[in-house]
Amino acid sequence: FQDSDVAKWLEAAAYSLVHKPDQELEQRMDDLIALIGRAQHKDGYLNTYFTVKEKDRRWTDLQEAHELYCAGHMMEAAVAYYEATGKNSLLEIMKRMGDHIYQHFITEKAEGYPGHPEVELALMRMYRATGDKRYQELAAHFINARGVDSDYFKKESDNRGWTVWNMNPDDKEYAQNHLPVREQKEAVGHAVRAVYLYTGMADLAAETDDQSLADACKVLWENITQKRMYITGGIGSTCIGEAFTKDYNLPNDTVYAETCASIGLMFWARRMLEIVPDAKYADIMERALYNGVLSGMALDGKSFFYVNPLEVLPEACHKDERKFHVKPVRQKWFGCACCPPHLARLISSIGSYAFTENEDTLFVHLYMGSNVEKTVNGKTVNVQMESDMPWEGNIKIRVQAENAKMTLALRIPGWCKNYKISGIEDAEQEEKDGYLYLKKVWNREETFCIDFPMEVQMFAASERVREDIGKAAIMRGPVVYCLEEKDNGKNLHELLVDTDMHASVSEGKICDTVVKMVETDGWRLTESGDAEETLYHMYQKPQKQKVRLHYIPYYTWANRGENEMQVWTRVQNP
Ligand code: ZN
C-alpha cells in the first residue's frame, strides 16, 4: 500500500498550496502526477504493486492487497489538488480508475468489498467534486455489500491460492465484515479500518438521508466514546490486530491508540456533525485533535509516534516483548508509514474541521485563529476568529456581511460550564445540543466576544476500567495533561495526586514551544525499614512525603528525551 503514502503526501501538499502558494512545490506535484499518469493502464487501472509485481492477479485479493484503499487515497489527493489549483490532471486519472472500478464491481458484477475501507469515503468526495452519481452508487455498493456475505474473504482466499500478508480470512471482526453494517452494534477489529468505514457510512447517510445507516453510526459512536476510547481520544486497546477488544478494556501501557485511528475518529466526527449538529461529536473531534492526534508528532515535526501510550516505563518497552510496539521516543519513519503523511494531511486541512454550514446556519465547532469566507443563505459571509486555544477560552469573532440573514451556531465546549458572551445583544439566542444559536441579520462589520473560562479539572474513569480505578487524570480545557520523569523524578507510579489539587497554571516551554503547565499538590510514597530491602514484607502503613506534581500537556511528552510518563495518577484517599 505504498501508493497510499504518495497519495497522502500529494493531498497534504495540495492543502498547503491553499495557505501558502509555492511554485516549486506545485511543479514537483505536477511532475509526480505525470509520472502517476504514465503508470496507469489503458483500462484505467492504477496500482504499482500489481503492475510491477502481480500483473495477472488484480482484484483477486481484496482482503489483503489494498487496491481499493490506495485508489481511495489517490482519489482524495485528486480532489484536494483540483480544489486547490483548479488543475484536473490527477482528477482525470482517478476518474478513469473510478470508472474502471465501476466497470468491474457494478457492470461486471464482481463480488466483494474492500478489506481496508477508505474508497467509500473517497468516492463520496469524487461524487461531490465531479457530480457523477456513479461514484456515490459505488460507495453505497461497497457499504451495503459489506458483511452481507461474511464468508467472502474466506472464499476469495480459497480461490486465489496466494497471499500477501498471510491474514486469516476467518477473522471477520478484524475487517468489520462479520455482519451487514446496519446490524453492527459494537466497534470491533482493526481500529483504523473501523473508523474509515464509519466515516464512509456517515458520509453516505448524510448525503442520502439514510436513517438506518445514520442510526448504525450513532450506536457505534456511543459504543466507542462511552466504552472503548482513551481519555486522549485514542482508540484500539491492543497491538494484536491493532484492534478494539471489549468494553472498558483500556490498558494504559500496552495500548495501541494508533495516530491514524484518532485522525479517523476526527474524520468520522466531522461527518456525524453533517448528520446532526450535536456538540458531543465536536467535543470528541477536539479531544482527539489536541491529545491523541498531536501526540503523534514531535514539536519540531520531524519524528512520529505510531502508538500513543498513556503510561510508559522505557525499560519495559525495551525488555518486555508485550510492549515492544510501544516506542518511548518518536521515530523518524516506519516500515508501515501510514501515520506521518496522515498527520500532514490532517494538519494542513484543519480549517475544514472548524466549520460546517447548512442552508441558513454557519456552525463553529473548533475555535482557532482563522479567516474564512462562507456562503450561507446565498450570501457571502466573512468570519474572522482570534483565539489562543487550547490555552485560553476567550474568543473574538468578527463577522463581515451585507445584509445577510444567518444563524451563527457556536459550540459550547463540554469542558466549559459557564460561558459569557458580549457585544451581540441584538441577536436572538437559543441553546440547543451544545450549540449557542445566534440568529440575526448581519450587516457590515460586527465584532463580539465569547469566553469559555478554563479551569484545571480532575477526571476519573468509569469504575469498570480496571486500569484506572483509584486514579485521576488532569485536564485544562481540551488538553489532557501528564506527568513526565523529567519534571517529577523516576518511579511515577509512587506519586499520588491530592484531591484538593491547589492547582496553579503557568506558562512554560517544552523545547521551544510555549505551553501552559499545571502544578498540583501531591505525595510521593517512600519506603523505609524492611520495605526498603525486601520484595515482600509485612504490611505497614506507607510513608509519604508532600510534593508538588508538575504536569505538562500530554501531546508534548517525549520531546526532551526518553523518560517515564503517565496520564493516570493514583489519588490520595480515593
Ligand atoms: Zn497509522
Side-chain angles (χ1 to χ4, degrees), residues 270 351-358 361-364 370-384 399-401 404 406 408:
R270 171 73 176 67
S352 62
Y353 298 83
F355 303 93
T356 58
E357 65 259 32
N358 63 22
T361 307
L362 177 63
F363 291 89
V364 182
S370 46
N371 183 351
V372 294
E373 213 139 84
K374 298 280 177 187
T375 305
V376 186
N377 258 349
K379 296 264 185 166
T380 304
V381 183
N382 176 269
V383 180
Q384 291 176 39
V399 180
Q400 281 172 291
M406 171 189 82
L408 191 64

Side-chain angles (χ1 to χ4, degrees), residues 394-414:
N394 52 326
I395 320 292
K396 195 167 162 188
I397 300 176
R398 190 164 72 156
V399 180
Q400 281 172 291
E402 268 179 56
N403 212 14
K405 197 173 164 198
M406 171 189 82
T407 303
L408 191 64
L410 305 173
R411 166 176 155 258
I412 305 156

Side-chain angles (χ1 to χ4, degrees), residues 63 129 161 195 199 214 228 270 280 286 293 314 316 318 379 395-396 417 422 427 447 455-456 481 545 548 555-556:
Q63 183 207 359
V195 284
T199 301
R228 298 185 179 199
R270 171 73 176 67
K280 71 180 177 184
E286 185 186 59
V293 171
H318 297 309
K379 296 264 185 166
I395 320 292
K396 195 167 162 188
K417 300 295 162 246
S422 57
T447 303
E455 287 163 27
V456 177
Y481 280 76
Q545 183 195 342
R548 278 296 266 180
Y555 81 85
T556 67

Side-chain angles (χ1 to χ4, degrees), residues 25 165 256 311 416 500 533:
L25 179 64
W165 301 102
Y256 209 67
E311 183 180 315
C416 174
D500 293 329
E533 301 296 328

Side-chain angles (χ1 to χ4, degrees), residues 8 69 192 242 258-261 305-306 336-340 342:
K8 286 186 206 167
Y69 171 85
V192 176
E242 309 179 317
E258 182 178 342
T259 306
C260 284
F305 278 137
Y306 193 111
C336 170
C338 50
C339 301
H342 211 167

Side-chain angles (χ1 to χ4, degrees), residues 162-324:
W162 65 286
T163 178
V164 189
W165 301 102
N166 226 353
M167 279 166 133
N168 176 7
D170 285 323
D171 186 357
K172 296 174 184 177
E173 291 195 346
Y174 174 81
Q176 299 85 31
N177 65 318
H178 55 305
L179 287 168
V181 297
R182 286 172 183 77
E183 292 169 30
Q184 298 189 18
K185 308 275 184 241
E186 290 185 329
V188 294
H190 189 271
V192 176
R193 288 170 205 246
V195 284
Y196 273 32
L197 171 64
Y198 308 153
T199 301
M201 286 162 61
D203 205 333
L204 182 66
E207 187 69 41
T208 60
D209 281 327
D210 184 328
Q211 201 51 53
S212 63
L213 200 54
D215 288 345
C217 289
K218 288 175 188 167
V219 169
L220 290 162
W221 180 271
E222 292 305 312
N223 177 245
I224 290 184
T225 59
Q226 298 306 313
K227 293 172 181 168
R228 298 185 179 199
M229 182 188 76
Y230 289 90
I231 193 166
T232 53
I235 48 174
S237 298
T238 175
C239 72
I240 298 169
E242 309 179 317
F244 292 104
T245 54
K246 65 189 212 53
D247 291 348
Y248 306 109
N249 181 44
L250 296 163
N252 295 309
D253 56 347
T254 56
V255 48
Y256 209 67
E258 182 178 342
T259 306
C260 284
S262 292
I263 295 173
L265 187 60
M266 287 184 65
F267 291 165
W268 184 25
R270 171 73 176 67
R271 263 66 163 203
M272 291 307 287
L273 288 165
E274 302 270 9
I275 297 176
V276 46
D278 186 324
K280 71 180 177 184
Y281 300 116
D283 279 340
I284 296 292
M285 192 160 77
E286 185 186 59
R287 179 186 293 274
L289 170 64
Y290 289 119
N291 302 292
V293 171
L294 280 188
S295 63
M297 186 168 74
L299 294 171
D300 67 4
K302 290 181 179 166
S303 57
F304 305 89
F305 278 137
Y306 193 111
V307 168
N308 293 279
L310 284 80
E311 183 180 315
V312 166
L313 176 62
E315 223 185 340
C317 297
H318 297 309
K319 293 184 179 162
D320 181 342
E321 256 184 80
R322 295 168 307 165
K323 297 182 182 175
F324 280 3

